[in-house]
């Protein structure tokens, strides 16, 4: 069962991404929750999309790109935080994760539509989401993998 805040945030996200020209996905904890996994704590909603769509969405939503959004583990060509919904929505384009072999782009191959209050939200399938979370490798990601594969 999704929390009221998560539901409202996902509805607002789906509405905001409605005009996207290329595929987009919700990833990480919100995607795990959308696959029906419980209990999972969702602190924000991570949206992965094309650079062009992210720029258009951020312009329309009044989100200013964050130049220093990179960390030692993650980086994006374009990154912004939409703070209007109940949960912050992190918009990421050209998203990469640091691996032992260098930076690897995170671009899902699968796209599963899930309905939230008559809106469609897209997530990677369970196996690909688990693979992505394993790649991220943080303790919270590995716990999400465990929950996804129960």
């Amino acid at each position: 069962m999704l929390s009221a805040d998560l539901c409202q945030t996902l509805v607002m996200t789906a509405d905001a991404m409605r005009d996207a020209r290329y595929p987009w996905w919700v990833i990480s904890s919100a995607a795990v929750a959308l696959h029906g996994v419980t209990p999972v704590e969702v602190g924000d909603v991570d949206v992965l999309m094309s650079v062009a769509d992210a720029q258009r969405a951020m312009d329309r939503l009044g989100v200013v790109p964050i130049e220093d959004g990179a960390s030692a583990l993650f980086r994006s060509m374009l990154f912004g935080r939409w703070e209007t919904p109940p949960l912050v929505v992190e918009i990421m384009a050209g998203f990469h994760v640091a691996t032992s072999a260098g930076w690897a782009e995170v671009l899902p191959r699968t796209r599963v539509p899930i309905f939230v209050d008559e809106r469609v939200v897209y997530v990677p399938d369970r196996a690909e989401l688990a693979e992505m979370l394993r790649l991220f490798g943080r303790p919270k990601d590995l716990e999400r993998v465990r929950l996804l594969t129960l």
Side-chain angles (χ1 to χ4, degrees):
M1 184 66 140
L2 303 178
S3 73
D5 282 352
L6 179 55
C7 279
Q8 185 179 349
T9 300
L10 290 168
V11 165
M12 292 174 74
T13 299
D15 288 347
M17 304 304 150
R18 185 176 40 234
D19 296 330
R21 296 180 187 156
Y22 301 99
W24 60 273
W25 299 263
V26 168
I27 62 170
S28 297
S29 61
V32 173
L34 282 163
H35 275 294
V37 172
T38 57
V40 64
E41 186 176 326
V42 180
D44 60 16
V45 172
D46 297 318
V47 176
L48 186 57
M49 58 193 321
S50 74
V51 172
D53 282 335
Q55 187 64 66
R56 279 191 299 278
M58 289 168 66
D59 288 348
R60 190 172 56 255
L61 298 169
V63 173
V64 177
I66 297 170
E67 296 300 325
D68 63 351
S71 70
L73 185 60
F74 302 114
R75 71 178 185 194
S76 297
M77 290 175 59
L78 187 60
F79 177 83
R81 294 171 58 88
W82 183 31
E83 299 185 358
T84 303
L87 300 178
V88 171
V89 177
E90 293 191 343
I91 299 169
M92 300 173 281
F95 179 58
H96 292 74
V97 60
T99 69
S100 58
W103 289 100
E105 184 171 13
V106 177
L107 189 61
R109 300 173 307 278
T110 59
R111 193 165 186 242
V112 177
I114 297 178
F115 284 88
V116 178
D117 195 22
E118 301 179 11
R119 302 330 190 270
V120 179
V121 177
Y122 298 95
V123 297
D125 71 21
R126 285 176 89 100
E128 186 175 27
L129 182 57
E131 178 184 313
M132 185 184 299
L133 293 167
R134 265 189 219 95
L135 188 62
F136 297 167
R138 300 171 298 180
K140 66 182 181 180
D141 297 314
L142 298 177
E143 174 60 14
R144 292 169 185 155
V145 170
R146 188 186 72 75
L147 292 169
L148 264 175
T149 55
L150 286 177

